[in-house]
Amino acid sequence: MIAIASDHGGWALKAQILDHLRDKGVEVDDLGCGQGDTVDYPEYAEKLCRAVVAGTYERGILICGTGIGMSIAANKIPGIRAALCADCYSAEMTRQHNDANVLCLGGRTLGSELAKKIVDTYLAAKFSGAEHHARRIEMIKKLER
Ligand code: RB5
């Protein structure tokens, strides 16, 4: 199960990603915001990331206008490795190398078709499990202390 959340800058793209994922049969919970709301993105980043860290969701997708604010906020939560991606190669590599558990997207910077491909690529990719990548992720975890 995955979760998705956005602020007002990401709401329109979130609606398209939700339709896309549900059409594909992917189970996804929308943690807000709602249509027409104007909200503060750190609140939604925290809500989704805490749920991912708690194990309620395997992975999450956060969308704001640029994806930058969501990614900055998400990476403050211990246990979260959030990756802002604007291309499919990065989306694949951030799973294989960084084991990123949150994908961030820019609702005002990405076309919806590219965004859907980035999401599909991210969800299909797996952590490589290679020792050198695992070691580096452990080093990142130590930075949280
Ligand atoms: C909201 O206007 C905008 O600042 C937000 O969506 C995001 O782009 C911040 O990084």
Side-chain angles (χ1 to χ4, degrees):
M1 172 74 94
I2 67 162
I4 192 167
S6 74
D7 73 352
H8 47 288
W11 187 89
L13 180 60
K14 180 180 70 175
Q16 291 181 288
I17 300 287
L18 269 169
D19 283 349
H20 173 68
L21 290 176
R22 288 177 175 153
D23 283 351
K24 287 174 53 134
V26 176
E27 282 191 287
V28 52
D29 275 352
D30 179 7
L31 305 187
C33 69
Q35 185 172 19
D37 294 344
T38 297
V39 301
D40 299 321
Y41 59 80
E43 188 182 325
Y44 289 83
E46 180 176 16
K47 185 178 181 184
L48 180 141
C49 290
R50 299 263 183 231
V52 169
V53 170
T56 308
Y57 302 103
E58 190 189 339
R59 283 185 252 168
I61 299 169
L62 289 170
I63 313 175
C64 63
T66 58
I68 296 170
M70 284 293 198
S71 63
I72 292 171
N75 279 309
K76 298 290 184 195
I77 308 291
I80 292 298
R81 291 177 301 284
L84 172 57
C85 294
D87 64 89
C88 294
Y89 180 78
S90 298
E92 186 173 3
M93 288 305 116
T94 203
R95 288 291 306 136
Q96 289 185 8
H97 292 194
N98 316 123
D99 198 15
N101 48 11
V102 171
L103 172 70
C104 300
L105 301 171
R108 294 172 180 159
T109 58
L110 288 175
S112 61
E113 293 308 310
L114 174 58
K116 287 178 205 171
K117 285 264 183 218
I118 291 170
V119 167
D120 289 348
T121 303
Y122 171 78
L123 292 179
K126 296 195 175 357
F127 179 52
S128 76
E131 190 281 330
H132 59 289
H133 292 312
R135 182 178 71 243
R136 291 162 190 163
I137 290 167
E138 286 309 309
M139 291 171 75
I140 292 171
K141 288 180 183 167
K142 284 188 186 157
L143 298 174
E144 292 173 349
R145 291 177 205 149

